[in-house]
Amino acid sequence: MTSSRATKIDRLASVAARGPEFEVGPDGQGSPNGHDAGVSLAVSAWRRLRRNPVFIVGAVMIGLFVLLAVLAPFIAPHDPALRLLEDQVSRANNEIPPPQDGYPLGGDQYGRDLFSRMLLGSQQTLLVAALATVIGLGGGLVLGTLAGAFGGWVDSVVMRIVDVLLSIPSLLLAVSIGALFAEQSQFTVILAVAIVQIPIFARLLRGTMLSVRESDHVLAAKALGVKRRAIVFRHILPNSLGPVIVQSTLVLAIAVLDAAALSFLGLGAADDSTPEWGQMLGNAQDFFDSQPHLAFWPAGCIIVVALGFTLVGESMREALDPRQRR
Amino acid sequence: MGMALLEVRDLSVVFRRRGEEPTIAVDNISFDVEPGQTVGLVGESGCGKSVTSLAIMGLLPSRGAEVSGSVTFEGEQLLGLSQRQLDERRGRDLGMVFQDPLSSLNPVVPIGLQITEVLERHRRMSRKEAKVEGEHLLNRVGIPDPNRRLDEYPHQLSGGMRQRALIAIALACRPRLLIADEPTTALDVTIQAQILSLLSELVSGTDTALIMITHDLGVVAGLCDEVNVMYGGRIVERAQRHALFAEPRHPYTHGLLASIPRLDAPRGEKLVPIRGSVVDNIAWSRGCAFAPRCPNQLEQCWSDPPELVEDRGGMLRCHNPVEVAPLAAEGTR
Ligand SMILES: Nc1ncnc2c1ncn2[C@@H]1O[C@H](COP(=O)(O)OP(=O)(O)O)[C@@H](O)[C@H]1O
Ligand code: SF4
Ligand SMILES: [Mg+2]
């Protein structure tokens, strides 16, 4: 109580000393002029994002997908690994179990419940996409920061490596990396997809850091004798993350597609008891003519999820683009 | 008396870019700053004021900018020091306030951290001590409720408040020289006067010297002891403030004075802008850069570069200066 009164009196005194045009109102807030001049980039970006239907649609798609992945073990009616309907499968006649009571989508070519496999497959997709993006982002942050902070020969070396990696088509690179591993697993898929993203993140971050390095507040920090490490990690890097964060959202979409492609090509886990959409799609290719729904469900889900991440990423990029600010 | 706090001698800065003509941004300028003194650096935009201040601070890019001459601070040569050696002095001995308070603050770091950062760096304070001192500093520059402001981000402060915060940061380690580069240009007119009086209040009575950089002679009027007028990268006139305002000698200074509103001007007096613009300049090597715009120009001005010579207790670079009454008594200087 007393301390707040004291500050109030101090404030009154200083307002009195400085005359009535002092820019602080009675509530201690800055002038209205200061307010709209100083809306931060993030706040104004969020305001635009919130009203953008493209963002909302994408966010709803992602939200549902994540919710499904989290709840999958609880709502899946059956164990996805059990061949419950095996007796309805006939290899010779290309017959697989049709939709029936308790099995809304029927069974797959081994008689396992397709619906439960679809639900639990979302977990794998989310895991692969998230891990691959995080690893790619981490590697890109390290390389990009090295190049952007040191410049000179470090920059040249890092960027040459990045250029070489970028000159190879990304899926081809991922396939090559995936094939390098003696034992294929879900993890090799994650690693392959992640490594492909590292140079993209690195180049993006380096470019942003080089431009932030020229900004007024970095010059001001140098004028204060702030040490180089603090200049990089406090003044340059945190101000360079915007484009990288947007890129991560887009990479989530790419990772979903790339991971599915690798699994489709048989570079995923050898054991298919844990369902994965790309692998399910790959396994369905023998039945494209007779049982198209086996491919339709995983393919549709992959497209919807990738589209959701793309919509969110693109609308974020648009919202953060300074040229779009009004 | 002996040595000045800052001695700038024959400072030149040339920008070289591949495939482009070199730009001589600063051309052989010399001036002194005594402890506690406020020195003005005045001239139109593009005349080399900012480049001069960045050269003193050692902040010009190492590639592309060619700096020559000498800058000594307390007798020590600053040009040629490594960035690491300069970092020990910048923020502690030499402070700088920039033009645009919003872009000069890190948008993602709270104000408080931007103050404590310098205190921890140069005054070896703990985070806790630095926070207390930071609050004290914000209070001293007239920011109300400083404790709360420490946790706020730059965009949450108004323009004037941001400039106050920047001044607090620049003065946090009590530097012996503060360079203010157009500190009020980006602010509202009403706030400009407050920031100027704050600056003069903070440096007067201390031995902190101030270099006040501005394109506005009005800013200099109430603040500076001595004024250097720059044109095209060179100093064209130097005088004590009173002499400069009472009897400007250089036609350019005269023009600047005629183009600002004055309180003591007779009613109905018209403001006369200087005709032309800096793009009309000729090179100093060929004559007087100001000649194409100068009402006093002579034929000589187009072929013979004027030298900077002593004139009535100051310095002047002009073949045909503005006439004023002769000094009352010789030898008063
Ligand atoms: N980094 C740079 N590269 C090339 N030319 C520059 C650079 N910085 C400033 N200049 C040039 O130097 C001259 C002086 O600029 P400056 O000192 O910023 O003027 P001002 O007096 O307005 O502060 C200008 O002609 C400008 O074009
Ligand atoms: S030297 Fe000549 S052109 Fe230059 S300012 Fe003096 S009178 Fe004017
Ligand atoms: Mg300038």
Side-chain angles (χ1 to χ4, degrees):
Chain A
M1 273 312 265
T2 36
S3 79
S4 90
R5 241 195 88 193
T7 52
K8 202 172 263 176
I9 290 169
D10 277 351
R11 198 189 302 154
L12 278 178
S14 71
V15 170
R18 282 166 205 288
E21 80 278 9
F22 196 51
E23 64 215 273
V24 170
D27 56 349
Q29 296 294 311
S31 67
N33 174 24
H35 266 303
D36 40 75
V39 175
S40 83
L41 188 65
V43 171
S44 74
W46 171 240
R47 278 191 199 147
R48 252 171 294 129
L49 215 48
R50 219 172 39 185
R51 279 186 261 117
N52 186 351
V54 175
F55 173 77
I56 295 170
V57 170
V60 167
M61 286 159 84
I62 297 173
L64 281 178
F65 164 63
V66 172
L67 195 69
L68 263 189
V70 171
L71 296 180
F74 307 106
I75 52 180
H78 304 285
D79 184 334
L82 293 182
R83 304 181 172 191
L84 297 167
L85 303 173
E86 202 169 8
D87 49 343
Q88 298 182 28
V89 177
S90 161
R91 280 260 151 194
N93 303 335
N94 254 348
E95 270 175 19
I96 60 165
Q100 51 201 277
D101 233 14
Y103 301 86
L105 301 180
D108 69 1
Q109 64 274 33
Y110 299 111
R112 298 173 296 199
D113 177 30
L114 188 60
F115 183 61
S116 300
R117 288 182 70 75
M118 283 307 301
L119 278 177
L120 283 150
S122 65
Q123 282 191 324
Q124 284 304 310
T125 302
L126 182 64
L127 183 80
V128 172
L131 271 181
T133 303
V134 166
I135 296 172
L137 179 63
L141 280 177
V142 171
L143 283 186
T145 306
L146 270 178
F150 286 97
W153 68 267
V154 180
D155 184 27
S156 303
V157 170
V158 171
M159 281 305 115
R160 286 302 82 75
I161 297 173
V162 163
D163 285 344
V164 168
L165 287 175
L166 282 179
S167 67
I168 307 168
S170 67
L171 196 57
L172 187 64
L173 182 61
V175 169
S176 324
I177 295 168
L180 276 183
F181 293 95
E183 210 160 304
Q184 258 98 42
S185 71
Q186 202 60 45
F187 185 67
T188 59
V189 172
I190 292 172
L191 219 52
V193 175
I195 290 173
V196 170
Q197 298 306 323
I198 288 177
I200 298 173
F201 279 119
R203 188 156 83 168
L204 184 65
L205 181 65
R206 168 195 178 259
T208 321
M209 283 180 77
L210 287 185
S211 74
V212 171
R213 197 161 77 167
E214 302 300 319
S215 64
D216 287 355
H217 73 265
V218 172
L219 187 68
K222 285 183 184 160
L224 290 167
V226 174
K227 283 191 179 159
R228 191 157 139 176
R229 193 184 332 155
I231 297 258
V232 170
F233 289 105
R234 184 176 291 162
H235 297 284
I236 298 180
L237 189 57
N239 284 293
S240 310
L241 292 178
V244 174
I245 291 169
V246 171
Q247 180 68 22
S248 318
T249 324
L250 294 169
V251 164
L252 281 165
I254 298 168
V256 167
L257 294 174
D258 280 6
L262 292 191
S263 301
F264 176 86
L265 294 173
L267 291 167
D271 166 26
D272 70 352
S273 57
T274 309
E276 202 276 339
W277 290 344
Q279 198 175 40
M280 289 165 71
L281 188 58
N283 291 342
Q285 60 185 323
D286 300 339
F287 307 91
F288 273 164
D289 297 332
S290 54
Q291 309 289 349
H293 76 278
L294 277 187
F296 172 80
W297 290 110
C301 285
I302 290 167
I303 290 169
V304 167
V305 170
L307 184 64
F309 282 122
T310 306
L311 293 180
V312 167
E314 287 294 349
S315 51
M316 271 168 71
R317 178 147 74 188
E318 214 169 86
L320 278 172
D321 187 342
R323 280 166 303 186
Q324 302 268 337
R325 294 190 85 182
R326 266 161 293 156
Chain B
M1 284 297 287
M3 207 171 48
L5 177 73
L6 181 80
E7 288 186 5
V8 178
R9 290 288 170 274
D10 305 323
L11 179 69
S12 295
V13 180
V14 182
F15 289 103
R16 289 182 200 281
R17 283 220 189 96
R18 245 182 292 164
E20 269 177 51
E21 284 281 290
T23 317
I24 305 177
V26 175
D27 195 356
N28 259 295
I29 70 169
S30 304
F31 62 93
D32 286 353
V33 183
E34 306 286 343
Q37 197 187 22
T38 298
V39 172
L41 216 53
V42 184
E44 282 167 310
S45 166
C47 72
K49 306 177 303 284
S50 297
V51 172
T52 302
S53 62
L54 293 176
I56 294 171
M57 297 288 290
L59 287 173
L60 286 170
S62 51
R63 268 195 254 174
E66 198 178 284
V67 185
S68 60
S70 129
V71 176
T72 54
F73 183 77
E74 297 183 316
E76 184 191 23
Q77 180 61 246
L78 292 185
L79 298 188
L81 287 187
S82 70
Q83 287 299 315
R84 179 170 293 202
Q85 289 168 316
L86 281 167
D87 278 341
E88 291 298 321
R89 289 155 186 84
R90 290 194 286 237
R92 197 187 64 190
D93 300 333
L94 303 153
M96 186 148 178
V97 176
F98 293 90
Q99 176 170 337
D100 181 355
L102 180 57
S103 67
S104 300
L105 288 162
N106 185 339
V108 304
V109 170
I111 300 292
L113 197 66
Q114 302 191 47
I115 301 181
T116 55
E117 177 176 46
V118 207
L119 293 168
E120 289 169 39
R121 165 88 172 89
H122 293 299
R123 287 171 69 182
R124 307 260 170 260
M125 288 184 171
S126 69
R127 177 64 56 91
K128 223 177 190 172
E129 291 168 329
K131 216 167 167 191
V132 174
E133 176 68 12
E135 196 176 327
H136 174 74
L137 282 164
L138 287 187
N139 192 39
R140 201 158 69 109
V141 297
I143 294 183
D145 210 351
N147 190 19
R148 205 191 64 194
R149 294 292 182 188
L150 284 177
D151 296 326
E152 291 192 348
Y153 290 86
H155 73 267
Q156 291 171 287
L157 272 63
S158 65
M161 282 297 148
R162 284 180 211 131
Q163 195 58 295
R164 283 171 196 271
L166 273 173
I167 291 172
I169 296 170
L171 290 177
C173 300
R174 307 192 194 101
R176 271 155 296 164
L177 175 67
L178 179 68
I179 303 178
D181 187 358
E182 310 247 11
T184 60
T185 307
L187 301 176
D188 286 355
V189 182
T190 47
I191 297 160
Q192 286 184 1
Q194 294 166 13
I195 295 296
L196 287 178
S197 68
L198 174 70
L199 268 174
S200 77
E201 186 186 308
L202 290 173
V203 296
S204 70
T206 69
D207 67 352
T208 297
L210 174 64
I211 297 180
M212 185 71 200
I213 293 179
T214 176
H215 65 275
D216 180 357
L217 265 179
V219 165
V220 163
L223 210 62
C224 297
D225 305 311
E226 191 176 68
V227 182
N228 294 289
V229 181
M230 283 182 76
Y231 193 82
R234 292 193 178 183
I235 290 179
V236 294
E237 181 167 13
R238 166 182 313 154
Q240 296 300 304
R241 188 221 318 179
H242 300 290
L244 190 88
F245 280 85
E247 303 182 326
R249 291 279 284 155
H250 198 281
Y252 176 61
T253 318
H254 192 85
L256 283 179
L257 276 173
S259 62
I260 60 168
R262 295 174 65 156
L263 286 175
D264 59 351
R267 264 174 169 263
E269 190 195 55
K270 285 217 186 91
L271 297 179
V272 199
I274 304 175
R275 68 173 183 209
S277 75
V278 286
V279 298
D280 302 323
N281 287 4
I282 63 169
W284 280 111
S285 55
R286 284 173 48 206
C288 175
F290 189 55
R293 306 170 66 190
C294 181
N296 287 17
Q297 43 135 328
L298 309 170
E299 204 151 324
Q300 184 192 8
C301 306
W302 293 85
S303 55
D304 177 15
E307 294 294 322
L308 190 66
V309 294
E310 293 211 9
D311 175 78
R312 297 167 76 91
M315 303 291 274
L316 182 65
R317 185 193 295 278
C318 180
H319 293 309
N320 187 20
V322 180
E323 286 305 327
V324 296
L327 284 180
E330 268 306 312
T332 45
R333 67 186 208 223

